[in-house]
Amino acid sequence: MTFSWTPHRFSGGALALDVANSVILRFDPARSIDRFANPENLDAFPEAASRLCAERRDAALRPLPVGRTQGLIRLREAIDRHFRAEAQDAPSPLMLADLLEEIARALRLGGPGELDFETAQSALRLISPTRAGALKICPNCEWLFLDRSKNKSRAWCDMAVCGNRVKARLHYYRKRQEKDAS
Ligand SMILES: [Zn+2]
């Protein structure tokens, strides 16, 4: 099956989180998939992010220059560790220090429109205490996302995908229990 960057894959609400969410089922080694491990997917990401990412930028995103993939992956992992810990109310100064180092590296190497540079800028905006939204972890797929709703009531990264999957599972179990009971 060919892979494509669908709107669902940009549920994070910020470029830094959409980049972090390029790893599917991060904590399930048997089923985990790194979408950036395939160079074609990585090359196609900036164009899709320019269209679908909720965070607006002045310049369209361009593919990552040759030789900068490793740095982007290190930045991505530092983003996930730091913001996941923060979403779980367990922030760590060391994780923040690691993230700031990766951000500094990306800012030094890159420029506007380049994926690593823009991801670093996005992460910086998320670190800011005045960021526009609450950081959360989707209880179905464990993606990080920014809840920009007024009353901070968003439960899923994407109601149409994760919310419905959980509802369907609950429905299935309820039906099975009814059957078992009858
Ligand atoms: Zn989800």
Side-chain angles (χ1 to χ4, degrees), residues 3-163:
F3 171 81
S4 67
W5 292 107
T6 55
H8 167 62
R9 300 181 194 282
F10 294 89
S11 302
L15 180 63
L17 301 182
D18 291 334
V19 165
N21 295 340
S22 63
V23 179
I24 313 301
L25 299 169
R26 192 179 279 275
F27 301 104
D28 183 346
R31 295 192 299 155
S32 180
I33 303 171
D34 177 357
R35 296 295 182 191
F36 285 174
N38 179 330
E40 276 177 30
N41 294 346
L42 178 57
D43 281 350
F45 182 86
E47 187 276 325
S50 292
R51 280 186 291 119
L52 301 170
C53 176
E55 190 177 19
R56 291 290 128 217
R57 277 163 312 279
D58 298 335
L61 288 166
R62 296 195 301 275
L64 202 61
V66 175
R68 297 243 290 271
T69 303
Q70 289 300 322
L72 175 72
I73 300 302
R74 278 202 310 269
L75 174 61
R76 177 186 74 182
E77 297 308 300
I79 286 168
D80 192 87
R81 277 194 298 271
H82 168 73
F83 291 112
R84 191 172 295 278
E86 208 186 281
Q88 291 165 333
D89 284 328
S92 137
L94 278 179
M95 286 182 192
L96 177 60
D98 283 349
L99 176 57
L100 289 171
E101 268 168 21
E102 296 303 336
I103 287 173
R105 205 189 316 262
L107 293 180
R108 226 176 267 130
L109 288 174
E114 289 175 347
L115 182 58
D116 46 1
F117 182 90
E118 297 290 348
T119 301
Q121 295 273 18
S122 169
L124 268 183
R125 284 191 286 271
L126 287 177
I127 290 171
S128 155
T130 57
R131 73 169 166 235
L135 190 65
K136 293 187 176 176
I137 298 174
C138 175
N140 185 53
C141 72
E142 297 191 329
W143 277 359
L144 293 166
F145 68 93
L146 207 52
D147 180 358
R148 296 183 196 265
S149 67
K150 269 215 177 69
N151 53 3
K152 302 285 171 283
S153 59
R154 200 173 132 197
W156 317 99
C157 75
D158 184 343
M159 182 63 208
V161 176
C162 285

